[in-house]
Amino acid sequence: MVKGVNAVAAFPPIPYGWSDFAAMRRERTLYVDKTRFVRLLEPERYAFLIRPRRFGKSCWLSLLENYYDRGRAHRFDELFADTDIGRAPTAQRNRFMVLRLDLSAFDDTRETLRDRFETYCHTRLRGALERNPELFGPQVAQRILAPDSIDGKLNELFEHAATQRIALCILIDEYDNFANSALALRGAEAYASLTQGGFFRSFFATLKAGTAGGGVERLFVTGVSPITMDDLTSGFNIASNVSLLPELNELLGFTQREVRELLETYRAQGALDRDVDEVMGVLGEWYNGYRFAKGAQEDVYNTDMVLYYLKHSVPNKAGPDELIDRNVRIDYAKLRHLLVVNQEASRSVPALNGNFDLLRGVIEDGQVDTPIESGFPLERLHRRENFLSLLHYFGLLSIQSVREGVPRLGIPNQTVKRLMYGYLRDAYEETGLFAVDVFAFERLVRQMASHGAWRLVFELLAEAIEERTGIRDYMRGEKVVQAFLAAYLSLTDHFLVQTERELGKGFADICLTPLRPQLGMTHGYVIELKYRTRGDTHIEVATAEAKAQLQRYLSDEALRREHPSIAFRGLALVFRGWQLVHCEVVEAT
C-alpha cells in the first residue's frame, strides 16, 4: 500500500483514557466490540465484577448506561450500529431509569468524606430525576430529594418506583475506592469506620432493601478487590460475584486476535510503519498475560496499556519512551502499603509484615499454587490463600495453568514484574533496610547498556549492602539474591530484565537486553549467580560452574537471532552470604 496523507489522516483516533462510550461512538474512535457480553450478563440481575485497575471498567459501565437508559432510546442506532448487541438487542434495552455513581472521584479525607459523598449522590440522583420528567413530576422529585441523607432519598425513590412500576437500574463504579484508600493510608481503624457500621455500610443496606422491595431491578457494581464487599456482607449480600466466571474472562481486556487486528488495521491505513509481529512481541512481553478464571482458555492484554502504546505509535511514531504508563505506576503505587508495610500506629518505624514475605516468595519462585478465594474480610487478609487471591484480583498475579483443580499463579508480564520489584525496593527503603543512590545508579546502568561498563554497577550495590547491615538477614539463598539484583536492575528503563530465561538448554538467572538499541544501548548481559554460605570456601568451584553455564547460554542461536545488533556478554557473580566475593566477565565464543 502506498502511504499518503489521506490514508494516515483517516485512521481511527486512539481513545486512551476515555471512559465515555457514547463519545467514543460519536467520534468514531477505535472501539473493540465487547457488547456481546451484555447478553451473557443480563440473566444476573444483581452482579459484582472485580477487575484490576486500568482495564476499562468505567467504559463498560458507560456502555451499560447507554444500553439500558430509557432516555437514550432515540440514540440506540447511532451508538450500537455495527455491534453485536446492536444487531440482536435484548428485550431489556432502554427500559430503565439509570442511576450511575462513580466512587473513584473521592479521596480518603475522613473529616469531609461523608458530606462530599452525600452531595455527590444528591447531584447524581437529581440529574437522573430531571432526565425523566414524565416519570417524576416536580412534586415527586422534590419529595424524593427532601430527606437529608442519601439513604432517605433512595428509600423515597425506591418506594415510588415500586408503587408506579418504574424499572430502576443502578450502576456503581469503583465501589471500594475510598475504602481502599483509607485502609492503605490511614489503617484498619479508618477502614472499619466505613465498612463496619458507618455511612457506607448503611448505603449498601439501603440498596439491598431497594432490590427486595421491587424498585431496583438491575444492579451492577465494579471494584478492584472483594475485601470491602465481604466486610459489607451483612448490609449487602445479594449481588452475584461474576469475576471468576470463565465465560466473562474476555469481558474487559483485549485478546491476542483483537490486538493483532488493531495493529493490522493501522498498518493497512498507513498509520503504523513497523512490523506487526515485532510490535506484537513488545505488547505481549509488557501488557499480556492476564487470565481471571480457571476455565478460561486465553490470556488477555491490559486495555489501557495497549491504547497507551498505540497512542505513542500512530501515526508512524516510534512508540513510547517509557513502556510503563506513568498513570499505571501511580495507580499501583497506592496498593503497596496493603502489601508490604505494617501500618500499626504504635510503631514509630514501619516494619515489614507477613505479606511482604509472601510477596517476596512469589517474586523469587515466579509462581505459586493456590485456590482463588471469592471473598474474605480484611481481618483474614493475613491468611496465605487470601493474600495471594488479593494479588490475583489486583492483576499482580494471573492464572498460568490449573493442576488438579488448583490454579498456578504467576506474574503476567514485564510491567507487573517491575511494579512488584518496586514494592520490594519501597519496602526496603521505608523500613530502613536498604537504599541506593538512584541518580548514581541510573547513570552507571546507562553506561553498562551503552559502553559495556558493568563492574561499577555491581560494586555500587555490594558497597551499599556493606553499609546497610539490616538487609543482610534477607540475603540468604540464590533465589533471594537473584530477586534482589533484578529488583534494582529494573529500577531504570535501560534494560529488559528477564529471570530464568531459557537459553542453551538451561535457564539463565538473569538476562539483560537493552530497551533502546537505537540510542546506542547495544550491550546485553547474561548473568549466572552462585550463592555460598558464609563459611564456604569453594569459590573457585562455583566460579567454574558459572562460567561453563554462561558459555552454553551465550551460544544460544535463538538469542542471537532475536537480538542481532546486541553484543552479549556473560557475567559470573558469586555471593558468599551477603557479600559479592567474585565477579568475572565471560565473552561469547
Side-chain angles (χ1 to χ4, degrees), residues 261-293:
E261 287 178 355
L262 295 181
L263 298 179
E264 290 175 345
T265 295
Y266 287 110
R267 175 84 175 173
Q269 294 181 352
L272 182 69
D273 57 6
R274 280 175 291 155
D275 180 73
V276 169
D277 287 334
E278 175 189 342
V279 178
M280 286 294 296
V282 175
L283 299 183
E285 183 78 42
W286 288 85
Y287 310 142
N288 193 18
Y290 300 93
R291 189 174 303 193
F292 301 108

mmCIF file of all heavy atoms in Angstrom, residues 261-293:
data_model
loop_
_atom_site.group_PDB
_atom_site.id
_atom_site.type_symbol
_atom_site.label_atom_id
_atom_site.label_comp_id
_atom_site.label_asym_id
_atom_site.label_seq_id
_atom_site.Cartn_x
_atom_site.Cartn_y
_atom_site.Cartn_z
ATOM 1 N N GLU A 261 -5.590 -7.525 15.162
ATOM 2 C CA GLU A 261 -6.476 -6.848 14.225
ATOM 3 C C GLU A 261 -6.338 -5.332 14.317
ATOM 4 O O GLU A 261 -6.392 -4.630 13.302
ATOM 5 C CB GLU A 261 -7.924 -7.271 14.481
ATOM 6 C CG GLU A 261 -8.235 -8.696 14.029
ATOM 7 C CD GLU A 261 -9.659 -9.100 14.329
ATOM 8 O OE1 GLU A 261 -10.387 -8.315 14.979
ATOM 9 O OE2 GLU A 261 -10.057 -10.215 13.918
ATOM 10 N N LEU A 262 -6.137 -4.821 15.532
ATOM 11 C CA LEU A 262 -5.925 -3.381 15.690
ATOM 12 C C LEU A 262 -4.663 -2.945 14.944
ATOM 13 O O LEU A 262 -4.671 -1.963 14.191
ATOM 14 C CB LEU A 262 -5.787 -3.017 17.170
ATOM 15 C CG LEU A 262 -6.995 -3.228 18.076
ATOM 16 C CD1 LEU A 262 -6.665 -2.784 19.491
ATOM 17 C CD2 LEU A 262 -8.193 -2.476 17.559
ATOM 18 N N LEU A 263 -3.579 -3.667 15.169
ATOM 19 C CA LEU A 263 -2.314 -3.312 14.533
ATOM 20 C C LEU A 263 -2.405 -3.420 13.015
ATOM 21 O O LEU A 263 -1.904 -2.549 12.287
ATOM 22 C CB LEU A 263 -1.195 -4.209 15.064
ATOM 23 C CG LEU A 263 -0.900 -4.124 16.568
ATOM 24 C CD1 LEU A 263 0.213 -5.094 16.944
ATOM 25 C CD2 LEU A 263 -0.524 -2.709 16.976
ATOM 26 N N GLU A 264 -3.033 -4.466 12.535
ATOM 27 C CA GLU A 264 -3.150 -4.643 11.087
ATOM 28 C C GLU A 264 -4.031 -3.564 10.466
ATOM 29 O O GLU A 264 -3.796 -3.133 9.323
ATOM 30 C CB GLU A 264 -3.695 -6.040 10.781
ATOM 31 C CG GLU A 264 -2.683 -7.143 11.096
ATOM 32 C CD GLU A 264 -3.247 -8.531 10.908
ATOM 33 O OE1 GLU A 264 -4.487 -8.659 10.814
ATOM 34 O OE2 GLU A 264 -2.451 -9.501 10.881
ATOM 35 N N THR A 265 -5.040 -3.098 11.213
ATOM 36 C CA THR A 265 -5.881 -2.006 10.718
ATOM 37 C C THR A 265 -5.063 -0.740 10.523
ATOM 38 O O THR A 265 -5.126 -0.091 9.468
ATOM 39 C CB THR A 265 -7.039 -1.730 11.703
ATOM 40 O OG1 THR A 265 -7.887 -2.868 11.756
ATOM 41 C CG2 THR A 265 -7.843 -0.509 11.274
ATOM 42 N N TYR A 266 -4.275 -0.379 11.525
ATOM 43 C CA TYR A 266 -3.457 0.828 11.418
ATOM 44 C C TYR A 266 -2.348 0.658 10.380
ATOM 45 O O TYR A 266 -1.989 1.610 9.684
ATOM 46 C CB TYR A 266 -2.889 1.209 12.781
ATOM 47 C CG TYR A 266 -3.928 1.783 13.710
ATOM 48 C CD1 TYR A 266 -4.368 1.074 14.821
ATOM 49 C CD2 TYR A 266 -4.481 3.035 13.450
ATOM 50 C CE1 TYR A 266 -5.336 1.603 15.654
ATOM 51 C CE2 TYR A 266 -5.445 3.565 14.286
ATOM 52 C CZ TYR A 266 -5.877 2.845 15.384
ATOM 53 O OH TYR A 266 -6.849 3.375 16.207
ATOM 54 N N ARG A 267 -1.829 -0.538 10.281
ATOM 55 C CA ARG A 267 -0.805 -0.806 9.262
ATOM 56 C C ARG A 267 -1.405 -0.626 7.851
ATOM 57 O O ARG A 267 -0.795 -0.002 6.978
ATOM 58 C CB ARG A 267 -0.292 -2.236 9.447
ATOM 59 C CG ARG A 267 0.696 -2.714 8.398
ATOM 60 C CD ARG A 267 2.100 -2.294 8.693
ATOM 61 N NE ARG A 267 3.028 -2.856 7.735
ATOM 62 C CZ ARG A 267 4.304 -2.544 7.682
ATOM 63 N NH1 ARG A 267 4.815 -1.690 8.556
ATOM 64 N NH2 ARG A 267 5.100 -3.079 6.780
ATOM 65 N N ALA A 268 -2.591 -1.163 7.643
ATOM 66 C CA ALA A 268 -3.233 -1.069 6.333
ATOM 67 C C ALA A 268 -3.586 0.362 5.977
ATOM 68 O O ALA A 268 -3.614 0.724 4.788
ATOM 69 C CB ALA A 268 -4.487 -1.947 6.307
ATOM 70 N N GLN A 269 -3.850 1.185 6.979
ATOM 71 C CA GLN A 269 -4.225 2.570 6.722
ATOM 72 C C GLN A 269 -3.014 3.498 6.679
ATOM 73 O O GLN A 269 -3.172 4.720 6.607
ATOM 74 C CB GLN A 269 -5.220 3.042 7.784
ATOM 75 C CG GLN A 269 -6.551 2.312 7.699
ATOM 76 C CD GLN A 269 -7.554 2.800 8.730
ATOM 77 O OE1 GLN A 269 -7.217 3.581 9.610
ATOM 78 N NE2 GLN A 269 -8.787 2.339 8.613
ATOM 79 N N GLY A 270 -1.827 2.913 6.723
ATOM 80 C CA GLY A 270 -0.621 3.725 6.618
ATOM 81 C C GLY A 270 -0.254 4.479 7.865
ATOM 82 O O GLY A 270 0.570 5.400 7.824
ATOM 83 N N ALA A 271 -0.826 4.110 9.009
ATOM 84 C CA ALA A 271 -0.559 4.827 10.249
ATOM 85 C C ALA A 271 0.425 4.098 11.162
ATOM 86 O O ALA A 271 0.826 4.641 12.191
ATOM 87 C CB ALA A 271 -1.868 5.069 11.000
ATOM 88 N N LEU A 272 0.804 2.879 10.795
ATOM 89 C CA LEU A 272 1.783 2.110 11.569
ATOM 90 C C LEU A 272 2.826 1.591 10.591
ATOM 91 O O LEU A 272 2.520 0.766 9.726
ATOM 92 C CB LEU A 272 1.099 0.944 12.301
ATOM 93 C CG LEU A 272 2.006 0.082 13.183
ATOM 94 C CD1 LEU A 272 2.476 0.864 14.414
ATOM 95 C CD2 LEU A 272 1.290 -1.193 13.623
ATOM 96 N N ASP A 273 4.063 2.069 10.742
ATOM 97 C CA ASP A 273 5.086 1.700 9.764
ATOM 98 C C ASP A 273 6.048 0.641 10.276
ATOM 99 O O ASP A 273 7.091 0.405 9.679
ATOM 100 C CB ASP A 273 5.873 2.935 9.319
ATOM 101 C CG ASP A 273 6.523 3.672 10.486
ATOM 102 O OD1 ASP A 273 6.454 3.162 11.629
ATOM 103 O OD2 ASP A 273 7.083 4.758 10.257
ATOM 104 N N ARG A 274 5.694 -0.007 11.375
ATOM 105 C CA ARG A 274 6.542 -1.071 11.911
ATOM 106 C C ARG A 274 5.918 -2.434 11.657
ATOM 107 O O ARG A 274 4.708 -2.557 11.453
ATOM 108 C CB ARG A 274 6.780 -0.860 13.405
ATOM 109 C CG ARG A 274 7.871 0.177 13.693
ATOM 110 C CD ARG A 274 8.008 0.451 15.158
ATOM 111 N NE ARG A 274 6.843 1.166 15.666
ATOM 112 C CZ ARG A 274 6.448 1.141 16.922
ATOM 113 N NH1 ARG A 274 7.100 0.396 17.800
ATOM 114 N NH2 ARG A 274 5.406 1.834 17.326
ATOM 115 N N ASP A 275 6.742 -3.451 11.739
ATOM 116 C CA ASP A 275 6.276 -4.815 11.516
ATOM 117 C C ASP A 275 5.297 -5.222 12.619
ATOM 118 O O ASP A 275 5.574 -5.025 13.809
ATOM 119 C CB ASP A 275 7.480 -5.765 11.494
ATOM 120 C CG ASP A 275 7.054 -7.196 11.262
ATOM 121 O OD1 ASP A 275 6.682 -7.518 10.122
ATOM 122 O OD2 ASP A 275 7.093 -7.981 12.236
ATOM 123 N N VAL A 276 4.168 -5.787 12.220
ATOM 124 C CA VAL A 276 3.131 -6.155 13.188
ATOM 125 C C VAL A 276 3.631 -7.203 14.170
ATOM 126 O O VAL A 276 3.383 -7.121 15.381
ATOM 127 C CB VAL A 276 1.870 -6.650 12.454
ATOM 128 C CG1 VAL A 276 0.888 -7.293 13.445
ATOM 129 C CG2 VAL A 276 1.189 -5.500 11.728
ATOM 130 N N ASP A 277 4.351 -8.207 13.688
ATOM 131 C CA ASP A 277 4.865 -9.247 14.588
ATOM 132 C C ASP A 277 5.835 -8.663 15.614
ATOM 133 O O ASP A 277 5.855 -9.087 16.770
ATOM 134 C CB ASP A 277 5.558 -10.350 13.785
ATOM 135 C CG ASP A 277 4.563 -11.220 13.026
ATOM 136 O OD1 ASP A 277 3.402 -11.305 13.469
ATOM 137 O OD2 ASP A 277 4.945 -11.800 12.000
ATOM 138 N N GLU A 278 6.647 -7.699 15.177
ATOM 139 C CA GLU A 278 7.582 -7.057 16.096
ATOM 140 C C GLU A 278 6.835 -6.327 17.217
ATOM 141 O O GLU A 278 7.173 -6.443 18.395
ATOM 142 C CB GLU A 278 8.463 -6.069 15.336
ATOM 143 C CG GLU A 278 9.402 -5.264 16.220
ATOM 144 C CD GLU A 278 10.099 -4.155 15.467
ATOM 145 O OE1 GLU A 278 10.122 -4.207 14.214
ATOM 146 O OE2 GLU A 278 10.606 -3.225 16.110
ATOM 147 N N VAL A 279 5.804 -5.586 16.843
ATOM 148 C CA VAL A 279 5.019 -4.855 17.841
ATOM 149 C C VAL A 279 4.269 -5.830 18.741
ATOM 150 O O VAL A 279 4.171 -5.621 19.963
ATOM 151 C CB VAL A 279 4.048 -3.875 17.162
ATOM 152 C CG1 VAL A 279 3.194 -3.152 18.207
ATOM 153 C CG2 VAL A 279 4.822 -2.860 16.327
ATOM 154 N N MET A 280 3.731 -6.913 18.169
ATOM 155 C CA MET A 280 3.048 -7.919 18.985
ATOM 156 C C MET A 280 3.984 -8.487 20.030
ATOM 157 O O MET A 280 3.576 -8.768 21.169
ATOM 158 C CB MET A 280 2.513 -9.049 18.091
ATOM 159 C CG MET A 280 1.290 -8.691 17.267
ATOM 160 S SD MET A 280 -0.207 -8.372 18.249
ATOM 161 C CE MET A 280 -0.496 -9.985 18.990
ATOM 162 N N GLY A 281 5.256 -8.667 19.675
ATOM 163 C CA GLY A 281 6.230 -9.176 20.639
ATOM 164 C C GLY A 281 6.394 -8.236 21.815
ATOM 165 O O GLY A 281 6.450 -8.670 22.978
ATOM 166 N N VAL A 282 6.466 -6.937 21.541
ATOM 167 C CA VAL A 282 6.606 -5.952 22.622
ATOM 168 C C VAL A 282 5.351 -5.929 23.488
ATOM 169 O O VAL A 282 5.430 -5.974 24.727
ATOM 170 C CB VAL A 282 6.880 -4.552 22.039
ATOM 171 C CG1 VAL A 282 6.893 -3.507 23.152
ATOM 172 C CG2 VAL A 282 8.203 -4.535 21.285
ATOM 173 N N LEU A 283 4.197 -5.859 22.852
ATOM 174 C CA LEU A 283 2.947 -5.804 23.616
ATOM 175 C C LEU A 283 2.738 -7.069 24.438
ATOM 176 O O LEU A 283 2.251 -7.010 25.582
ATOM 177 C CB LEU A 283 1.765 -5.605 22.662
ATOM 178 C CG LEU A 283 1.763 -4.327 21.816
ATOM 179 C CD1 LEU A 283 0.487 -4.244 20.982
ATOM 180 C CD2 LEU A 283 1.885 -3.096 22.692
ATOM 181 N N GLY A 284 3.103 -8.212 23.879
ATOM 182 C CA GLY A 284 2.959 -9.456 24.622
ATOM 183 C C GLY A 284 3.864 -9.511 25.838
ATOM 184 O O GLY A 284 3.471 -9.997 26.901
ATOM 185 N N GLU A 285 5.082 -9.020 25.685
ATOM 186 C CA GLU A 285 6.052 -9.039 26.790
ATOM 187 C C GLU A 285 5.642 -8.130 27.931
ATOM 188 O O GLU A 285 5.843 -8.446 29.098
ATOM 189 C CB GLU A 285 7.425 -8.601 26.262
ATOM 190 C CG GLU A 285 8.545 -8.644 27.289
ATOM 191 C CD GLU A 285 9.075 -10.039 27.536
ATOM 192 O OE1 GLU A 285 9.249 -10.800 26.563
ATOM 193 O OE2 GLU A 285 9.310 -10.369 28.711
ATOM 194 N N TRP A 286 5.013 -6.985 27.600
ATOM 195 C CA TRP A 286 4.766 -5.956 28.613
ATOM 196 C C TRP A 286 3.317 -5.862 29.072
ATOM 197 O O TRP A 286 3.069 -5.406 30.196
ATOM 198 C CB TRP A 286 5.211 -4.596 28.071
ATOM 199 C CG TRP A 286 6.703 -4.487 27.989
ATOM 200 C CD1 TRP A 286 7.505 -4.910 26.963
ATOM 201 C CD2 TRP A 286 7.578 -3.961 28.981
ATOM 202 N NE1 TRP A 286 8.824 -4.666 27.255
ATOM 203 C CE2 TRP A 286 8.903 -4.072 28.497
ATOM 204 C CE3 TRP A 286 7.387 -3.380 30.233
ATOM 205 C CZ2 TRP A 286 10.012 -3.647 29.218
ATOM 206 C CZ3 TRP A 286 8.492 -2.949 30.952
ATOM 207 C CH2 TRP A 286 9.779 -3.075 30.457
ATOM 208 N N TYR A 287 2.340 -6.259 28.257
ATOM 209 C CA TYR A 287 0.948 -5.965 28.590
ATOM 210 C C TYR A 287 0.015 -7.167 28.581
ATOM 211 O O TYR A 287 -1.158 -7.033 28.928
ATOM 212 C CB TYR A 287 0.381 -4.932 27.590
ATOM 213 C CG TYR A 287 1.234 -3.709 27.391
ATOM 214 C CD1 TYR A 287 1.368 -3.129 26.133
ATOM 215 C CD2 TYR A 287 1.915 -3.123 28.456
ATOM 216 C CE1 TYR A 287 2.144 -1.992 25.939
ATOM 217 C CE2 TYR A 287 2.707 -1.991 28.276
ATOM 218 C CZ TYR A 287 2.823 -1.432 27.009
ATOM 219 O OH TYR A 287 3.592 -0.321 26.824
ATOM 220 N N ASN A 288 0.488 -8.345 28.193
ATOM 221 C CA ASN A 288 -0.367 -9.525 28.085
ATOM 222 C C ASN A 288 -0.252 -10.376 29.352
ATOM 223 O O ASN A 288 0.447 -10.031 30.294
ATOM 224 C CB ASN A 288 0.049 -10.345 26.849
ATOM 225 C CG ASN A 288 -0.974 -11.402 26.481
ATOM 226 O OD1 ASN A 288 -2.119 -11.344 26.898
ATOM 227 N ND2 ASN A 288 -0.557 -12.375 25.695
ATOM 228 N N GLY A 289 -0.965 -11.500 29.354
ATOM 229 C CA GLY A 289 -0.757 -12.499 30.394
ATOM 230 C C GLY A 289 -1.796 -12.574 31.473
ATOM 231 O O GLY A 289 -1.608 -13.278 32.472
ATOM 232 N N TYR A 290 -2.936 -11.885 31.324
ATOM 233 C CA TYR A 290 -3.963 -11.890 32.374
ATOM 234 C C TYR A 290 -5.018 -12.954 32.067
ATOM 235 O O TYR A 290 -5.606 -12.974 30.992
ATOM 236 C CB TYR A 290 -4.631 -10.519 32.462
ATOM 237 C CG TYR A 290 -3.679 -9.399 32.797
ATOM 238 C CD1 TYR A 290 -3.075 -8.652 31.793
ATOM 239 C CD2 TYR A 290 -3.385 -9.086 34.118
ATOM 240 C CE1 TYR A 290 -2.201 -7.616 32.092
ATOM 241 C CE2 TYR A 290 -2.516 -8.042 34.430
ATOM 242 C CZ TYR A 290 -1.924 -7.326 33.418
ATOM 243 O OH TYR A 290 -1.060 -6.304 33.723
ATOM 244 N N ARG A 291 -5.247 -13.805 33.048
ATOM 245 C CA ARG A 291 -6.309 -14.813 32.947
ATOM 246 C C ARG A 291 -7.005 -14.859 34.296
ATOM 247 O O ARG A 291 -6.387 -15.122 35.322
ATOM 248 C CB ARG A 291 -5.729 -16.178 32.586
ATOM 249 C CG ARG A 291 -6.791 -17.219 32.259
ATOM 250 C CD ARG A 291 -6.192 -18.518 31.764
ATOM 251 N NE ARG A 291 -5.352 -18.331 30.581
ATOM 252 C CZ ARG A 291 -4.925 -19.315 29.819
ATOM 253 N NH1 ARG A 291 -5.277 -20.555 30.103
ATOM 254 N NH2 ARG A 291 -4.160 -19.078 28.771
ATOM 255 N N PHE A 292 -8.317 -14.614 34.298
ATOM 256 C CA PHE A 292 -9.035 -14.385 35.550
ATOM 257 C C PHE A 292 -9.829 -15.587 36.048
ATOM 258 O O PHE A 292 -10.264 -15.591 37.203
ATOM 259 C CB PHE A 292 -9.975 -13.186 35.387
ATOM 260 C CG PHE A 292 -9.249 -11.919 35.017
ATOM 261 C CD1 PHE A 292 -9.350 -11.393 33.740
ATOM 262 C CD2 PHE A 292 -8.445 -11.269 35.936
ATOM 263 C CE1 PHE A 292 -8.678 -10.234 33.387
ATOM 264 C CE2 PHE A 292 -7.761 -10.105 35.594
ATOM 265 C CZ PHE A 292 -7.878 -9.587 34.319
ATOM 266 N N ALA A 293 -10.043 -16.574 35.216
ATOM 267 C CA ALA A 293 -10.886 -17.703 35.615
ATOM 268 C C ALA A 293 -10.202 -19.020 35.294
ATOM 269 O O ALA A 293 -9.483 -19.133 34.293
ATOM 270 C CB ALA A 293 -12.236 -17.630 34.897
#
